[in-house]
Amino acid sequence: MSAAPAAFATLFQPYTLRSVTIPNRIWMAPMCQYSAEAFGPNAGVAHDWHFTHYAARATGGTGLIIQEATAVSPEGRISPYDLGIWNDTQVEALRRITTFVKAQGSVPGIQIGHAGRKASTDRTWKGGAPVGPDGDGWLPSAPSPVPFAEGHPVPHELTVEEIREITDQFAAAAGRALAAGYEVLEIHGAHGYLIGEFLSPHSNRRTDSYGGSFENRTRFAVEVVDAVRAVWPEELPLFFRISATDWLDGDGWTADETVRLADLLREHGVDLLDVSTGGLAPHVKIPVGPGYQVPFAARVKAETTLPAAAVGLITEPEQAEKILANGEADAVLLGRELLRDPYWARRAARELGAEIPVPNPYHRSW
């Protein structure tokens, strides 16, 4: 990589958390590819599709690349075709990705998660319907025996012992992520998957120490953070992805609770909140539009001491720059837009008059 002058645009200013400096504020949101093998010794193992997918965004100038939700256990996969990080074979394949991403000047990150009651579904392009034990799937687990939607199975209600086993699986996954070469780790607490299911009273009907009050509903999230932080090195940043609201009236997780949880997560070693919304319940009314989730990140920034990243229909460079310049977020996370254009960061640099490093073989085109 050849050096380039520092950019004046906020979007291209470096951002440092703990010992890690991310070269710009254009970050790739985790997006499942549903492209791993489902069974056998290579189940959940990254292959050429995953390498090419992440390598393209690194050569495209993306500052931080957060790998898709990677399951902490086979039962924690959203689909049988998800990536996993529950064994060392998976680690070896992931190391190939992190090595290349670092060589391009980007920072490799990974999101680890458990799908809870939304586990064991088909690939999205095949409809994403539940896949049961009589097919290629399994019975999902959850805080309470409340199905995600009509046509979905009633999940197994986790015992306290099983909750602790899953907490240990998150910690083990963090250790493997370190061995694989990742420099940023994100815990998936959003979109109605297991941690989010514990947070929301809509899906958490427990009457023990993991249900009811705010303190009880957030207990699992905090215990996972503590277990992960005990393994994840002090010098490396830890993110937490949250759905800031379930978009439900009356019995859902709320923006006020997100603000309250942000301060709690900060106390337990989380360095940044990745702020999304929704995913817990189907058929809710969401006012989708450009930047529609940015106000939730802005609240976290304004009302807590925890840094926040914004996501959600951020598609244009000037839009992204304005979000950062206005202090609404510390970084922007691009999802579908980076699927459409792996070189979005380079287009943004041209439009905003900034300069970013270019791989030497590409200099003739810059």
Side-chain angles (χ1 to χ4, degrees):
M1 303 293 290
S2 61
F8 292 102
T10 309
L11 195 60
F12 291 95
Q13 292 177 1
Y15 189 68
T16 299
L17 288 167
R18 299 194 186 239
S19 69
V20 176
T21 297
I22 303 167
N24 59 52
R25 314 295 180 94
I26 302 167
W27 299 354
M28 181 177 180
M31 292 172 286
C32 288
Q33 297 297 291
Y34 306 111
S35 296
E37 291 187 25
F39 309 105
N42 289 322
V45 175
H47 54 71
D48 285 352
W49 173 265
H50 304 93
F51 177 84
T52 303
H53 174 63
Y54 294 112
R57 278 76 195 169
T59 57
T62 307
L64 169 65
I65 295 173
I66 305 180
Q67 182 177 296
E68 62 201 84
T70 305
V72 301
S73 70
E75 299 77 21
R77 291 174 290 176
I78 300 167
S79 84
Y81 309 97
D82 286 8
L83 288 183
I85 193 163
W86 64 79
N87 65 45
D88 293 340
T89 300
Q90 295 160 343
V91 170
E92 288 302 315
L94 295 173
R95 191 177 290 121
R96 178 188 177 209
I97 295 172
T98 63
T99 299
F100 185 88
V101 167
K102 291 176 187 178
Q104 310 317 305
S106 297
V107 174
I110 185 172
Q111 182 189 77
I112 57 174
H114 190 295
R117 68 179 185 172
K118 293 176 72 176
S120 193
T121 58
D122 206 347
R123 291 172 164 127
T124 53
W125 58 86
K126 291 188 174 182
V131 179
D134 55 342
D136 295 331
W138 56 93
L139 179 66
S141 298
S144 302
V146 180
F148 169 65
E150 185 178 350
H152 285 244
V154 176
H156 162 71
E157 183 174 27
L158 291 165
T159 66
V160 171
E161 181 179 356
E162 289 168 335
I163 291 170
R164 291 171 180 162
E165 289 174 358
I166 294 172
T167 302
D168 291 341
Q169 290 169 351
F170 270 94
R176 291 193 178 96
L178 180 65
Y182 293 96
E183 296 178 335
V184 171
L185 183 69
E186 178 170 276
I187 296 170
H188 197 354
H191 301 158
Y193 297 118
L194 187 61
I195 293 177
E197 291 164 18
F198 273 92
L199 294 177
S200 178
H202 183 79
S203 51
N204 184 349
R205 313 288 176 83
R206 300 177 75 96
T207 58
D208 62 4
S209 61
Y210 287 94
S213 67
F214 173 87
E215 289 77 11
N216 285 354
R217 286 183 285 112
T218 59
R219 188 180 307 279
F220 178 55
V222 172
E223 288 178 348
V224 168
V225 167
D226 286 343
V228 166
R229 191 77 261 187
V231 174
W232 193 243
E234 185 70 20
E235 66 270 17
L236 296 181
L238 177 63
F239 292 7
F240 189 98
R241 192 167 218 197
I242 188 78
S243 282
T245 176
D246 292 332
W247 300 104
L248 292 168
D249 292 328
D251 70 340
W253 179 260
T254 68
D256 289 341
E257 289 177 308
T258 293
V259 169
R260 187 176 173 187
L261 179 61
D263 281 327
L264 183 60
L265 294 175
R266 180 70 156 174
E267 294 172 7
H268 286 262
V270 170
D271 299 292
L272 181 138
L273 199 64
D274 174 357
V275 185
S276 186
T277 66
L280 184 90
H283 313 306
V284 295
K285 293 182 179 180
I286 301 176
V288 176
Y292 71 104
Q293 296 177 142
V294 173
F296 297 97
R299 275 200 65 181
V300 172
K301 275 217 31 106
E303 300 178 32
T304 80
T305 59
L306 188 63
V311 66
L313 282 181
I314 299 170
T315 59
E316 297 302 323
E318 288 189 6
Q319 175 197 17
E321 173 65 17
K322 184 177 179 181
I323 290 167
L324 300 182
N326 289 347
E328 296 175 281
D330 295 286
V332 292
L333 287 148
L334 275 64
R336 291 173 176 85
E337 191 62 24
L338 273 177
L339 295 183
R340 289 185 283 265
D341 181 5
Y343 297 92
W344 190 93
R346 302 205 179 283
R347 175 167 72 86
R350 287 195 299 270
E351 292 187 15
L352 297 176
E355 294 187 37
I356 57 176
V358 181
N360 288 329
Y362 287 3
H363 261 288
R364 73 189 73 178
S365 67
W366 189 250

